[in-house]
Amino acid sequence: MSVRILLLGCGAFGRVHLRALARLGAAAEVRAFDPDAAMRGAVASEFADLRFAESVEAGLAWCDAAIIATPVPTHAALAEAVLRADRHLFLEKPAVETAREAEALARLAGTRGRIAQVGLYFRFHPKALALRALVAEGAFGPLHYLAARFSGLKRARGDSGALLNDAVHFADLLPWIAGAPVTQVFAQLADPLGRGREDLALVQLRFADGAIGLIEAGCVLPGRWPDAVVPGAETRKEVIVAGRDALAEVDFAAETFALRRGRHAPGPGGAWLPGHAARDASEPPAADPVAVVAAELAAFIDAVATRRAPEAGLASGAVAPARILDAARRSAQEGRMVELEEIA
């Protein structure tokens, strides 16, 4: 069965969605809407056969499901319109700006009986999937540290700061990998550009199992690799996971995966010495952004067809990370550790 999909928003990542949908072939029939005539023209030059809806309302009358890839402040209202039209929803990250908005959308999707999936890119990346599987099978033993860096030298988006644009990815991914929720957040935010948004964020985490974590995000730091989506940007997209029995470093921009098994053990003079093996030779496959988004959309289309709840639904994919980011804002404002219970 082909699903009729309306794409709302034809910016840089909207075009990645169009390429991913083209890669899926007959699984989806696609139309698009963007209020910007120049944006429509640019997209039409790349996708000659793409048809455009005359309005959001006309597109919703035609489609079975909608993808929202518009600026962040428009997400809540558009997502509500999609769900109230009884259409299924794929909502790009960050789903919405606050946990309260995320909770309202989750309730609405449940009331209307609609499939709603959040565009959590890294959950569908082969290297993140491999890392999570290793943690789940106990290869790391008890975890003690998870860290992520999503930063670089790039444009400061006009619709969001470092928390919503970058940190949101790993506010979702680290608990997902750990298999444990975050219980405490301490954050420091900075506005080095003086534009009224945090363009640098450091977020410390405490997980329910006792592990600690750190997220670095921002657009004013040195990058290491060319960004695969935004031309001219330099980026770092890295995750570290450390446990009693193994250590791992994943660089999503360079497509490297370094796993070392072993543990510290008592040695002479009371010292504890590392006994870790060389890097594991196994390497999860690489994936370009179009392939990862295609995997996300294939899962969404399957959920629509089968009416199975998506793994990256609104409760886990929107509410949970939004609560962490809400706690980060509160922590930075009040200068203290914030319990997640305070954000419930």
Side-chain angles (χ1 to χ4, degrees), residues 83-95:
L83 293 172
R84 291 198 182 281
D86 289 325
R87 301 303 187 251
H88 303 292
L89 172 66
F90 185 99
L91 184 56
E92 258 305 337
K93 74 81 198 167

Side-chain angles (χ1 to χ4, degrees), residues 131-335:
L131 186 57
R132 185 184 191 227
L134 285 166
V135 171
E137 72 186 31
F140 285 83
L143 297 181
H144 51 254
Y145 186 61
L146 300 97
R149 173 182 284 175
F150 195 126
S151 58
L153 187 61
K154 54 186 178 177
R155 67 183 175 120
R157 285 180 54 144
D159 63 348
S160 60
L163 288 176
L164 285 174
N165 191 44
D166 297 328
V168 65
H169 279 292
F170 294 131
D172 170 73
L173 193 72
L174 294 188
W176 182 75
I177 289 171
V182 171
T183 58
Q184 296 176 314
V185 174
F186 179 80
Q188 297 189 72
L189 309 179
D191 177 17
L193 299 179
R195 67 189 192 103
R197 294 188 182 275
E198 81 292 335
D199 288 318
L200 177 60
L202 291 177
V203 184
Q204 297 178 25
L205 310 171
R206 172 74 68 175
F207 293 84
D209 61 3
I212 59 175
L214 177 67
I215 299 171
E216 174 193 282
C219 61
V220 292
L221 300 173
R224 178 173 290 177
W225 310 105
D227 193 282
V229 175
V230 182
E234 299 173 2
T235 190
R236 294 172 185 258
K237 298 174 184 175
E238 303 162 352
V239 167
I240 292 172
V241 176
R244 182 194 62 199
D245 301 325
L247 310 171
E249 294 178 86
V250 180
D251 188 327
F252 292 104
E255 288 286 356
T256 58
F257 187 102
L259 175 68
R260 297 187 67 188
R261 300 176 189 267
R263 63 169 71 178
H264 279 72
W272 282 63
L273 305 178
H276 294 73
R279 172 177 169 169
D280 194 301
S282 63
E283 181 84 17
D288 61 63
V290 175
V292 176
V293 174
E296 289 184 88
L297 294 177
F300 175 63
I301 291 168
D302 179 70
V304 169
T306 62
R307 295 301 183 95
R308 285 198 296 263
E311 193 259 337
L314 286 171
S316 68
V319 175
R323 291 180 70 225
I324 292 172
L325 299 189
D326 282 359
R329 295 185 193 95
R330 184 167 179 176
S331 172
Q333 183 178 29
E334 299 179 3

Side-chain angles (χ1 to χ4, degrees), residues 35-109:
D36 188 325
M39 193 76 74
R40 293 195 303 271
V43 170
S45 67
E46 181 178 353
F47 304 92
D49 296 329
L50 179 65
R51 298 178 64 184
F52 290 89
E54 294 181 359
S55 65
V56 173
E57 294 76 15
L60 290 177
W62 168 81
C63 74
D64 301 308
I67 297 169
I68 296 178
T70 56
V72 178
T74 68
H75 281 196
L78 282 174
E80 181 177 353
V82 170
L83 293 172
R84 291 198 182 281
D86 289 325
R87 301 303 187 251
H88 303 292
L89 172 66
F90 185 99
L91 184 56
E92 258 305 337
K93 74 81 198 167
V96 284
E97 295 181 285
T98 68
R100 182 173 296 178
E101 290 174 326
E103 290 159 359
L105 283 182
R107 287 193 298 270
L108 181 59

